[in-house]
Amino acid sequence: MLALVGADPAARHIGGHAVRHLAEVCVYCEEVSGPELMDDALHRAVRAALTDRGVASLVVPRHVLAAPARGAPPAARPVPPPPRPPAAKDLRRAADVLDGAGKAVVVVGNAGRPASRQVVEVARLLGAGVATTALARDALPDDLPCLAGVAGPLGSEAAATLLRECDTLLLAGAEDLDPAMLPGPGRCRIVTVDREPDDCPLEGGAPAVRVTGDVTACLEALAPLLRPTADRAWRTRVERLVGAWRDEGAARPRRYFGTSVNPRSVVAELSDRLPDRAVVVTDSGTSLDWWTRHLRLRPGMRSLLSGHLGLPGAAVPHAVAARFAAPDRPVIALVGDGALQGGGLNELLTVRRHLDRLADLPPLVFCVFNNGDLNRLTWQRRAAAGDPLVPLSAEVPALPYAECARLAGLPAVRCDRPRYVGSVWADVLAGRGPVLLEFVVDGETPPDWAAGVGTADHSRPAPLLAPLAKFLRVSG
């Protein structure tokens, strides 16, 4: 991506501030001081964006933008050459390591997304389990029996179990895998497949065979070198583990305490009704946990989230961008109330401004989880303290989100009854154009990674609960 950022020459400090801020999040950033430098600056920025596969930005003062072009348009310049083909010796070494695997796992990252078919074939030959990074959530359909979900510190329990038990790990374009998920040095053999040698750094000096080249081409060349495994015990173990994890995931959305909506059910009911080719965008709060756990994607669907997973407020602008980039696809954004207040409400005004262009397109749904709290931060504090009674981290100011959307001129629906979640989704997805959908959800529903908070330190009942514990034991 190339970002052109305007600057006012009357305030010279603004350009410098923009460069410093953009440099933190871009692969390339430069301020263009004169019209004669624009050609070279554009070339360097585009080359950086293509080479490093990221965002390059140019800060362009107003007088440069207003200056007339000088001479004829510049001739096209060559883009960086495609990645070199994988070395035969690296492929052979990788095949030797993988052929010796007893418990293999393949992790697909964002750069490995185009190689989904090759990943499935390699996993079949190795009898391996498969996991994805969060950014590659939609690389494979969720009905794959060996797919254990997202591998991450707060990801799938099934994926974490496979990474703990495996003896051989194949990382396919997994440069976005959190290094904390890798087994310790000496615990397993690791093979990496990436476009560049440094794309997937390994901590602790873990031994690895590195195959460098286009991920799809590398896996295509690697598959014929692998011997199909005859021992299916590990694959059977993987499929049973994944099946049990999915059964538990299907049961949890049906549990309710009190009158608030179970937030798990919001995504589970959505999954049952997702239109073909839907795009589902999520933010970084507990909506990310429910998206990770209960969203089931079919072939042709896309999922999007911020590359910086701790950055709140990305879901609404990402959904708006997805709508303009793919006007024929349904788009659903899952966003917490804290993230919506952090910037999403402003972006809804953009939607209102273009309502005449969006009204007849497939649904654009902004699904808000209203729990009155920065809920993921609360559960992280509770998990760190081992205490499920740690108070809320930061209460989010109460806002009637559906009413706010209506005041802005957008259609909106509010749901606070568990029994209506499915029917509300069915009505909204059958409509057209933008709509804000507000669910009043239970903030005391813990994500999977926090479900056991306090069980180790609270095994003995507190004095006030001792009579209740005795009654429960007697009543069986």
Side-chain angles (χ1 to χ4, degrees), residues 446-462:
D448 286 5
W449 50 266
V453 169
T455 54
D457 298 330
H458 299 82
S459 56
R460 298 178 62 184

Side-chain angles (χ1 to χ4, degrees), residues 68-457:
R70 299 192 174 190
R77 300 185 181 182
V79 299
R84 62 182 183 275
K89 64 176 183 179
D90 292 339
L91 290 171
R92 184 69 265 171
R93 289 177 60 218
D96 291 341
V97 170
L98 295 172
D99 279 338
K103 301 177 179 179
V105 172
V106 183
V107 177
V108 187
N110 195 34
R113 181 196 305 273
S116 57
R117 181 178 60 82
Q118 289 77 13
V119 166
V120 172
E121 175 62 13
V122 169
R124 183 190 68 81
L125 293 171
L126 298 176
V130 181
T132 71
T133 63
L135 294 179
R137 174 76 169 78
D138 57 0
L140 299 167
D142 282 312
D143 59 359
L144 199 65
C146 60
L147 182 60
V150 172
L154 303 180
S156 156
E157 295 175 359
T161 300
L162 293 186
L163 290 176
R164 283 196 305 268
E165 296 183 3
C166 72
D167 61 14
T168 306
L169 187 58
L170 172 60
L171 304 179
E175 60 195 55
D176 51 320
L177 176 67
D178 192 312
M181 297 304 299
L182 295 174
R187 293 187 56 189
C188 80
R189 296 170 296 178
I190 300 176
V191 176
T192 64
V193 179
D194 285 289
R195 288 172 58 100
E196 302 294 338
D198 299 329
D199 276 352
C200 189
L202 301 176
E203 292 187 346
V209 176
R210 296 186 182 274
V211 181
T212 302
D214 178 75
V215 177
T216 302
C218 289
L219 294 181
E220 195 82 55
L222 180 62
L225 303 179
L226 299 174
R227 295 192 303 271
T229 181
D231 185 358
R232 308 302 292 180
W234 171 245
R235 181 64 172 249
T236 302
R237 156 76 173 149
V238 168
E239 293 184 1
R240 286 178 178 171
L241 177 68
V242 170
W245 174 70
R246 289 179 179 171
D247 289 344
E248 184 183 15
R252 288 184 176 182
R254 296 195 293 268
R255 302 170 187 167
Y256 296 95
F257 300 93
T259 58
S260 297
V261 171
N262 181 344
R264 295 175 180 271
S265 72
V266 173
V267 180
E269 295 286 355
L270 167 64
S271 288
D272 291 340
R273 296 165 175 81
L274 266 181
D276 290 339
R277 303 182 68 246
V279 179
V280 185
V281 187
T282 187
D283 223 289
S284 59
T286 46
S287 59
L288 174 61
D289 296 309
W290 317 136
W291 170 91
T292 300
R293 185 64 167 104
H294 300 290
L295 185 67
R296 298 183 302 279
L297 298 172
R298 304 191 300 274
M301 294 181 174
R302 288 298 312 272
S303 66
L304 303 172
L305 72 161
S306 169
H308 301 275
L309 300 184
L311 178 66
V316 176
H318 279 192
V320 174
R323 159 54 67 238
F324 286 115
D328 59 329
R329 287 176 175 247
V331 179
I332 300 100
L334 307 176
V335 56
D337 47 2
L340 189 69
Q341 290 191 23
L345 288 172
N346 292 335
E347 195 67 21
L348 291 179
L349 298 179
T350 303
V351 178
R352 175 62 184 87
R353 186 180 304 122
H354 298 284
L355 188 58
D356 56 336
R357 298 171 55 190
L358 304 176
D360 293 329
L361 297 178
L364 169 60
V365 185
F366 301 97
C367 172
V368 183
F369 294 79
N370 182 0
N371 52 36
D373 175 38
L374 299 180
N375 203 232
R376 186 179 238 215
L377 181 59
T378 293
W379 282 108
Q380 286 176 327
R381 291 181 60 226
R382 290 173 175 175
D387 183 356
L389 301 181
V390 169
L392 302 184
S393 298
E395 293 187 14
V396 175
L399 277 181
Y401 299 100
E403 290 183 24
C404 290
R406 293 190 194 105
L407 285 174
L410 294 175
V413 179
R414 185 177 187 269
C415 178
D416 58 4
R417 300 291 181 89
R419 62 183 175 182
Y420 295 137
V421 173
S423 60
V424 166
W425 270 123
D427 291 343
V428 166
L429 294 174
R432 307 285 289 181
V435 60
L436 185 137
L437 178 54
E438 175 188 358
F439 287 102
V440 181
V441 299
D442 182 10
E444 295 302 315
T445 301
D448 286 5
W449 50 266
V453 169
T455 54
D457 298 330

